[in-house]
Amino acid sequence: MKLQAVEMRRIGMSLVAPFETSFGVQTERDILLVKAITSEGEGWGECVAGEEPTYSSEYVDAAQHVLIHHLIPRLLGSELEAGDVAARLRPVHGHRMAKAAIEMAVLDAELRARGDSFGHFFGAVRQEVDCGVSVGIHSSIAELLVTVGGYLDQGYRRIKLKIKPGWDVEPVRAVREKFGDVPLQVDANTAYSLSDAEHLAKLDPFGLLLIEQPLPEELVLAHAQLAKKVQTPICLDESIESLQNATDAIELGACRVINVKPGRVGGYLEARKIHDLCAEKGVPVWMGGMLETGIGRAGNVAMAAMANFTLPGDTSASARYYHRDITEPFVLHDGRLKVPTGAGLGVTVDQEFLDSITHWKQTVA
Ligand code: OSB
Ligand code: MG
C-alpha cells in the first residue's frame, strides 16, 4: 500500500485525578494522535510522549516536530508495509515514541484493510487480559489506602505503588497491613541510586512481585549490582528502549522481569521481538501503560494477550484515566479487559468528541 497523507492532531484530556510519580504530577494530558491515510484505507496511532521530557528525553512537541520534518517524509508516496517502517526510519536516531505512533497507524490501516485484528496478528492466546493499576504518590497514607481500597473493590488484580525516597517502605507496609497479600509491586521511575541498596532491601519482607526501574535508565550494570543486594525481582522500564537493550540487560542480570511499552521501544513490532526474546530466556513480561486513550489501550490490550505476558499489566479501564474516552470505553469485568476482535485496533473513534477536544491539527502529505 501507499501512505498518501498523515493527519496529525493534538487533543486535551483531563485525568480523573492527579497522577503523581517521582518525576512530577500530571492532571491534564496533551496527546498527539496520527491518522495514516493510505491507498487501502485509514489507521490510527497514538504517541505516548508526555508533555515534558521527564519520563524520558522524548516529549510531545518534539515528537510532533520530528514526525512532520523527519519521519513522515521518509514514508510518504512509495510502496510501504508496517514491517518496513522501522527500517525506513532507521537513519533518524532515537525518537522511538514518534516512530512508534506512525508505525502503529500504518499497521492499523494494513490490518483493517485485510480484516485482521491486532490480537490475531500478535498471536493472542487469551480473549481477555488481567489488569493491574498504577497508583500515584499520595499526600498521606490514609488517602493512599482509600484509593487502593477503591481499586481493589473495582476488581483490579494487582496494585502498583509509585515510590520515591521518603515514600516507599511505609506506604508498602500500610497497604500490606490493610489489604493482606494482594499482588503488589512498586515503581520508582529512576529515583534511587546504588547507594540506596540497603534501604531498598527493606522492601524485601513485603513479598513484592517486583521493583520497577529503581535506578537511572543508563545504569544497567548498576541494576545488576543492585539485584545482588535485594531479593525483590528487578524489572526494567525506562532502561529498555530496544531489543538490543533487552538482550544486554538480561545477559548482565540487570532484570528478572521486563515492562514492555510499545511506544518506548519504537513500536509494536519491536515490542513483539522483546516479548519473544523474553519468552525464550524465561523472563516474564507485562504490558506497561502511558495513560493512553482508547486507541493506545486497544493495541496494548491486544499485545498483552500474547503468551509471555504472564503478569497483570498497567492496562486499566478507561474510567481509571478519563471521564470520557475517545473510543468506546474499556470496561473492567472481573479484573480483566476484553481483547478487541474487530479489524485493526478494533475500536471506533468518536469523531465528534475528538474534534471537540482537538486544539491543533495538520495534515502532512
Ligand atoms: O513508569 O510506568 C510508568 C505513566 C506515565 C509514565 C510512566 C509510567 C506511568 C504509569 C501509569 O505508571 C501506567 C498507566 O496506567 O498507563
Ligand atoms: Mg514504570
Side-chain angles (χ1 to χ4, degrees):
M1 63 186 207
K2 275 199 171 90
L3 181 64
Q4 296 164 333
V6 179
E7 181 194 279
M8 303 176 67
R9 67 170 79 212
R10 294 270 290 269
I11 61 171
M13 308 249 297
S14 299
L15 289 169
V16 294
F19 182 60
E20 181 169 346
T21 63
S22 65
F23 60 83
V25 188
Q26 181 122 44
T27 48
E28 305 284 329
R29 296 232 46 218
D30 179 353
I31 302 169
L32 173 63
L33 299 177
V34 297
K35 185 165 78 179
I37 299 163
T38 80
S39 52
E40 320 276 301
E42 299 178 348
W44 286 95
E46 176 169 345
C47 181
V48 301
E51 294 70 16
E52 290 194 280
T54 47
Y55 161 78
S56 73
S57 64
E58 291 195 76
Y59 62 105
V60 66
D61 286 336
Q64 178 182 312
H65 186 279
V66 80
L67 274 159
I68 294 172
H69 297 283
H70 304 284
L71 302 181
I72 294 169
R74 287 181 156 80
L75 302 174
L76 286 173
S78 51
E79 274 306 308
L80 183 74
E81 280 177 34
D84 306 328
V85 171
R88 288 268 201 107
L89 301 182
R90 196 152 296 140
V92 177
H93 289 227
H95 298 283
R96 291 181 168 86
M97 294 176 180
K99 291 175 176 176
I102 187 64
E103 185 195 77
M104 177 181 182
V106 172
L107 181 60
D108 185 35
E110 195 171 299
L111 295 184
R112 281 183 201 261
R114 60 173 202 246
D116 197 2
S117 67
F118 266 56
H120 180 260
F121 176 73
F122 293 141
V125 298
R126 47 187 92 90
Q127 280 142 21
E128 39 186 29
V129 300
D130 287 358
C131 297
V133 60
S134 177
V135 184
I137 292 164
H138 280 54
S139 44
S140 73
I141 299 254
E143 288 169 80
L144 174 73
L145 294 176
V146 171
T147 300
V148 170
Y151 287 141
L152 290 173
D153 287 346
Q154 289 170 45
Y156 283 104
R157 290 171 175 265
R158 175 278 270 153
I159 298 292
K160 160 168 139 183
L161 299 182
K162 290 291 194 178
I163 60 167
K164 66 176 181 182
W167 181 266
D168 44 33
V169 179
E170 291 318 310
V172 167
R173 184 196 313 283
V175 169
R176 270 282 178 259
E177 278 175 4
K178 176 128 189 170
F179 302 108
D181 57 2
V182 298
L184 185 64
Q185 63 194 51
V186 293
D187 185 2
N189 289 110
T190 76
Y192 294 87
S193 62
L194 189 54
S195 61
D196 295 315
E198 235 174 273
H199 180 71
L200 291 171
K202 292 182 188 152
L203 293 169
D204 288 341
F206 299 106
L208 302 178
L209 290 167
L210 56 91
I211 174 168
E212 181 179 348
Q213 197 70 43
L215 311 178
E217 52 269 48
E218 65 274 33
L219 299 189
V220 178
L221 179 59
H223 278 98
Q225 292 163 338
L226 179 64
K228 298 198 177 106
K229 299 180 175 177
V230 301
Q231 282 161 24
T232 309
I234 290 176
C235 168
L236 292 177
D237 173 353
E238 285 90 330
S239 291
I240 307 298
E241 294 194 338
S242 63
L243 175 66
Q244 187 64 55
N245 287 165
T247 306
D248 294 355
I250 293 168
E251 183 68 28
L252 262 175
C255 60
R256 278 155 62 186
V257 183
I258 288 181
N259 166 337
V260 173
K261 287 180 183 170
R264 192 193 63 221
V265 303
Y268 283 97
L269 301 182
E270 185 80 359
R272 180 170 65 177
K273 291 182 193 165
I274 295 174
H275 163 276
D276 294 350
L277 166 82
C278 290
E280 188 189 309
K281 299 284 180 188
V283 172
V285 300
W286 54 282
M287 179 56 65
M290 293 292 282
L291 313 174
E292 287 90 345
T293 71
I295 294 178
R297 195 160 309 286
N300 289 354
V301 166
M303 176 160 271
M306 293 176 76
N308 194 41
F309 280 85
T310 52
L311 291 164
D314 282 347
T315 46
S316 309
S318 295
R320 145 75 183 84
Y321 309 93
Y322 305 110
H323 289 294
R324 182 170 173 186
D325 210 332
I326 59 173
T327 62
E328 53 275 54
F330 279 82
V331 179
L332 209 63
H333 297 282
D334 194 21
R336 300 192 173 100
L337 291 184
K338 284 203 176 76
V339 178
T341 53
L345 291 167
V347 288
T348 306
V349 171
D350 180 341
Q351 194 66 46
E352 205 174 312
F353 177 55
L354 188 70
D355 287 339
S356 75
I357 59 174
T358 296
H359 62 84
W360 172 89
K361 199 169 144 183
Q362 184 176 325
T363 297
V364 183

